[in-house]
Amino acid sequence: MLRLALFLLASALAGCVPGALVQDAPDLEDAAGYPNHSAGQIVAAVEASMASVGSVSADGDMSFTSPQESRNATYSLRSRLSDSTSVIVRGPLGVIAGQGLVTPDSVFLANRPNKEFLLGPISAAESIVPGASVDGRAVRAALGLLVPEPDVQWSVLAEDGSYRLSGRLAGGTSRSYVVDPAVWRVTELITFDAGGRESGSQTAEAFDTIEGVVMPRRVRLEKGGTVIVLEHRRLSVNPDDLRIRFRRPTDYETFVVR
């Protein structure tokens, strides 16, 4: 049951509804000022480039691989980034396998085949997305909309047309972000434990311009031997008809996850 919960949780933290088909992004050039931006300028530019994004709808395919199993599914996501995110996960033949809701402080998952309802704090997602309980980071990671923490003393290295920001967080852990200044997006995040060992990674690629906003079509999340790959086939930014859809079942057995 725990592995299924992780699978559904991964889906809930990611993003099938009709939406504008993604369009290939044009060829990109180096941003003006590269390689001389400061850490503060880089963080501010990333944050400003996605300031207009208040909500997202997405549909696509996902794969879930762990040392014990591999699964594939499709998903339908609705997200108000500052509020709530709902997801429907479908298995073979489009049969609904589960539904989830992510709020700023909680996660709720309904496993339809087994009639199980799981609920817990947003920190339960830490096993997939480090820092998941902070500022909607779980959903932002799955959508490729991460912003480096502005209160960290970052060191900056310019390499291969990108910036690498490295710094230590409170508690002794550290992070390394790669930012592409051509689109001002995080393309890679590597997390390290207090001993300096790599503890997880997130990558975003295949960027497209969706209604004026640069978004990745492919996101990869890895932690503890579990790899989740999300292929956002359809995306819509700030859709007019966004609806957060989740109803708690009344006849399911309830479990609390931590």
Side-chain angles (χ1 to χ4, degrees), residues 136-157:
R137 174 167 290 267
V139 175
R140 288 184 173 274
L143 290 172
L145 296 176
L146 288 175
V147 179
E149 294 80 354
D151 56 348
V152 172
Q153 190 70 31
W154 299 109
S155 64
V156 180
L157 174 65

Side-chain angles (χ1 to χ4, degrees), residues 21-36:
L21 287 173
V22 292
Q23 302 294 322
D24 289 339
D27 292 336
L28 302 172
E29 299 177 355
D30 288 343
Y34 179 84
N36 299 314

Side-chain angles (χ1 to χ4, degrees), residues 223-240:
K223 184 173 175 65
T226 297
V227 178
I228 301 151
V229 179
L230 307 168
E231 299 275 356
H232 301 308
R233 294 185 294 103
R234 293 184 181 226
L235 289 164
S236 183
V237 176
N238 300 325
D240 293 332

Side-chain angles (χ1 to χ4, degrees), residues 18 23 49 64 71 81 89 143 159 212 228:
Q23 302 294 322
S49 71
F64 173 91
R71 297 194 186 195
L81 294 179
V89 182
L143 290 172
E159 55 182 4
I228 301 151

Side-chain angles (χ1 to χ4, degrees), residues 104-195:
D105 57 10
S106 304
V107 291
F108 306 90
L109 305 168
N111 174 2
R112 179 173 288 189
N114 294 336
K115 301 190 72 172
E116 295 169 342
F117 180 70
L118 300 91
L119 71 159
I122 187 63
S123 57
E126 292 277 351
S127 63
I128 298 172
V129 180
S133 57
V134 180
D135 297 332
R137 174 167 290 267
V139 175
R140 288 184 173 274
L143 290 172
L145 296 176
L146 288 175
V147 179
E149 294 80 354
D151 56 348
V152 172
Q153 190 70 31
W154 299 109
S155 64
V156 180
L157 174 65
E159 55 182 4
D160 300 326
S162 296
Y163 288 115
R164 182 176 293 276
L165 277 61
S166 302
R168 187 171 294 276
L169 281 64
T173 62
S174 57
R175 292 179 181 170
S176 175
Y177 290 89
V178 174
V179 176
D180 184 348
V183 292
W184 292 118
R185 285 291 179 270
V186 171
T187 59
E188 180 184 68
L189 166 62
I190 302 176
T191 59
F192 302 88
D193 63 20

Side-chain angles (χ1 to χ4, degrees), residues 23-99:
Q23 302 294 322
D24 289 339
D27 292 336
L28 302 172
E29 299 177 355
D30 288 343
Y34 179 84
N36 299 314
H37 294 90
S38 68
Q41 289 173 325
I42 294 168
V43 174
V46 174
E47 190 167 25
S49 71
M50 60 185 72
S52 65
V53 183
S55 59
V56 177
S57 68
D59 72 275
D61 305 314
M62 71 172 293
S63 64
F64 173 91
T65 305
S66 73
Q68 293 78 29
E69 63 181 326
S70 296
R71 297 194 186 195
N72 295 296
T74 62
Y75 56 87
S76 168
L77 171 141
R78 299 290 184 278
S79 179
R80 288 193 297 265
L81 294 179
S82 64
D83 185 347
S84 303
T85 298
S86 66
V87 66
I88 298 174
V89 182
R90 293 178 172 86
L93 304 177
V95 176
I96 294 178
Q99 294 176 277

